[in-house]
Amino acid sequence: MKLFIDSGNLKDIQALADTGIIDGVTTNPSLLAKEPGDHRDILKKICEMVKGPVSGEVTATDLAGMLQQGRDLAAIDAHMVVKVPLTRDGIRACKALSSEGIRVNVTLCFSAAQALLAAKAGAAFVSPFVGRLDDIGSTGMDLIREVVEIYRNYPFKTEVLVASCRNPIHVVEAARLGAGVATCPPSVIDQLFNHPLTSIGLEKFLKDWEKAQNVKA
Ligand code: E4P
């Protein structure tokens, strides 16, 4: 499973890209609004850092606006993926941009029916938001199970990109279900590294080693 960073923060992205385990980045208007500077410059720098798919989202809600912004975002760098919302015009924009060879990530997906439409429109990625479903008392991972099952029945090229991941359990479940990608905020990726027994075990190994060196000296 690919692991993407869900952030627009260059420092956080660079720190995680340096670990060598990052395959791409997703951003959204809320994330980029928090960062100083022009969004196109930020996206270009992210593309140079990760050299993998980087999603930048359109803010237009009509077809013509989405197409214009989508083409503009795609022109930033060859790694750019254009994010469009799962609306009627978003699906039309997905179809048009995909047929021009632009990779599209259809975002704000909350049902299997919506995910089916994204695949039919030629999306490179569909982003079901698991955390936001959990927030309203649904089980986000049930949606991932359904979408993965549906996509396996057909030769769709669309990858299931598990979005709105809030904890390591979301990531592990996404991998168990065979999703193509999980995108996580830096804090969640940091948590993936940690286990208390690793820290305790390492401390003990090093203490024993040091003790033995003192005895041998
Ligand atoms: C994905 O592309 C979205 O940017 C993101 O995962 C949304 O996460 P949130 O629900 O935690 O804001």
Side-chain angles (χ1 to χ4, degrees):
M1 185 179 72
K2 292 172 206 150
L3 192 57
F4 287 5
I5 312 173
D6 195 33
S7 173
N9 185 277
L10 296 177
K11 220 170 121 216
D12 289 348
I13 293 168
Q14 186 63 68
L16 285 169
D18 287 347
T19 63
I21 51 142
I22 298 303
D23 303 292
V25 172
T26 50
T27 67
N28 63 42
S30 305
L31 291 171
L32 286 180
K34 287 194 245 170
E35 306 302 326
D38 178 63
H39 73 281
R40 296 180 99 261
D41 295 340
I42 297 172
L43 288 166
K44 179 72 185 170
K45 284 185 187 140
I46 296 174
C47 289
E48 284 162 1
M49 279 177 190
V50 302
K51 296 183 177 63
V54 174
S55 291
E57 190 162 340
V58 300
T59 50
T61 54
D62 64 303
L63 177 62
M66 285 190 208
L67 292 179
Q68 191 191 356
Q69 289 184 2
R71 290 174 188 135
D72 189 53
L73 285 164
I76 293 174
D77 191 281
H79 291 107
M80 281 302 298
V81 175
V82 174
K83 237 175 162 185
V84 300
L86 212 155
T87 58
R88 193 175 281 252
D89 274 1
I91 289 296
R92 292 172 71 198
C94 175
K95 181 83 184 174
L97 293 170
S98 300
S99 58
E100 290 172 23
I102 294 173
R103 285 179 299 170
V104 177
N105 174 357
V106 180
T107 189
L108 291 168
C109 172
F110 293 97
S111 78
Q114 289 181 319
L116 182 60
L117 299 184
K120 287 186 66 66
F125 300 98
V126 66
S127 293
F129 277 35
V130 293
R132 293 192 194 188
L133 281 169
D134 290 354
D135 289 346
I136 61 156
S138 295
T139 305
M141 279 300 157
D142 286 349
L143 174 58
I144 303 304
R145 188 174 295 106
E146 278 185 87
V147 178
V148 168
E149 181 191 351
I150 291 168
Y151 281 14
R152 276 195 187 134
N153 290 339
Y154 302 97
F156 292 137
K157 295 264 161 36
T158 311
E159 286 193 75
V160 181
L161 192 165
V162 181
S164 190
C165 286
R166 302 275 169 77
N167 53 58
I169 296 170
H170 281 151
V171 181
V172 171
E173 283 302 307
R176 291 184 68 186
L177 292 170
V181 190
T183 189
C184 308
S187 58
V188 173
I189 298 179
D190 286 340
Q191 287 177 58
L192 299 178
F193 284 92
N194 301 333
H195 195 287
L197 291 178
T198 305
S199 317
I200 294 166
L202 180 60
E203 204 185 324
K204 171 99 170 67
F205 285 158
L206 296 181
K207 257 195 201 139
D208 289 347
W209 182 255
E210 206 184 307
K211 226 189 286 167
Q213 305 314 303
N214 292 338
V215 171
K216 285 179 193 169

